[in-house]
Amino acid sequence: MLTFILFILLFTVIIMIHEAGHLLAAKKFGVYCYEFSFGMGPLLFSKKFKETQYSIRALPIGGYVAMAGEDSDEEVYPDVKVPEGRRITDLVWWKRAIIQLAGIFNNILLAYFIFCMVVLAAGRISTSPEPVVDSIIAGSPAETAGFEEGDKIVKIVKEDGSSIKPAEFIDMQTFVTDDSTLTITVERDGTEEVMSVTPIYDENEERYMIGVNAAKSKAVDVNLANCWYYGGYEMIMLTRLMFQAIVNIFQGAGLSNLSGPVGIYQATDTYVKMGFESYLLLIAQLSLNLGIFNALPLPVLDGGQFVITVAEAVAHRRLNEKIRVGLMLTCWALLIGLMVYVTWNDIIRLF
C-alpha cells in the first residue's frame, strides 16, 4: 500500500510541476486558462478559483492546462466568454514559445534541485573517469583486438555509421548496445591507432562489452558551496545517458529497455526499499526524463509545439489546419502504440 501511495505521489509531483510551468507562464502573459487538471478522464473533484477551474481526474497518467485559443477550446468550454486579447494565439510568437517550454523548464529545475540536495546529503560524490583503458579482461575481444593499458579512446564508429567521441568512460558504455563491429580510434604514446572489435554479451553484467575496464572513480567531498556544481554534474551525466538512449531507440536498439507505468511502479517499490534519498533520486530521474521526452520535436509534445511556433513565425502564417491535425493524430497513434509496447514489455518482465 505504501508503494502505491508513493507511486501516485511521484506522478503527482512530476506532472503538477510540469503543468504548473505552463499555467504560471500563461497567466504571466495574460492568457485565459479554463482549467488546470491533474489526471485524465472522468472528473473526481474540481474547485474554481477566480477564472480557472482546478481539477483532479480519475486516471493519474498525465495532466493539462486548457488555455483559450487552443484547438477545440470553444467546443469544450462553450459557456465561457473569453475577453479580447487573452487567447494564446493573440500573443507574439516568443511569448507562446515560453509558455510551451515552461513545463520542460520546471521538470529540469526540479530534477536539478533534487540532485543538488541528494549529493549534499551524501557528502561525497564519485566522478566518472576519463575514457582511458586501465586494464583489459583476459580473453576478451579487446585483448584480441590489441588494446593496451593507457589507451585513450578518442572515437567509436558503429557499422551503421553512427559514432561518438566519448568525454567520459560511461559514454562508451552507453554507446555499445549490440554486437555490431566497432571501429575504435585510440590515442597511444602520442599517435592514433585504429582497431576493429566486436562486443560480446556478458550475462552477469547484462550488457554488451568489449572487455576494457576504467580507472577507479575519484571521490570528492560535497558541501553547501559546491553541491550546486556537483548536482548539475550528476544531472548532466544522466542527461547524456538519456540522449544516448533516445538515439539508440531511433536506431532500433534499446526498445526492450523502455518501461511504462508498470515498470515505474516496480522501480518505485525497489527505490522505496533503498531509502528516502533513493526515492527522491527516482523522482529527479523521472522528472528529467519527462522534461527531455517532452522536448522531442513531435507535434503532440511541447518540443513539437515550439518548433511549429517558430516555423510559423518565420513563415509569417499559421500551419495548414489539415496538416496540423494529421500530424497530431499520427503522433498520438505512434505514442499510444509505444505505450502499449512498453507496458506489454513490463508485464512480460513480471513473469
Side-chain angles (χ1 to χ4, degrees), residues 181-198:
T181 300
L182 307 172
T183 302
I184 301 181
T185 303
V186 302
E187 187 179 291
R188 180 187 300 167
D189 299 327
T191 61
E192 289 190 350
E193 301 281 342
V194 179
M195 290 171 285
S196 181
V197 59
T198 302

Side-chain angles (χ1 to χ4, degrees), residues 3 7 261-271 346-347 349-350:
T3 297
F7 172 72
V262 176
I264 295 173
Y265 181 85
Q266 289 179 291
T268 302
D269 185 54
T270 301
Y271 277 70
D346 289 341
I347 293 171
R349 290 192 194 104
L350 288 176

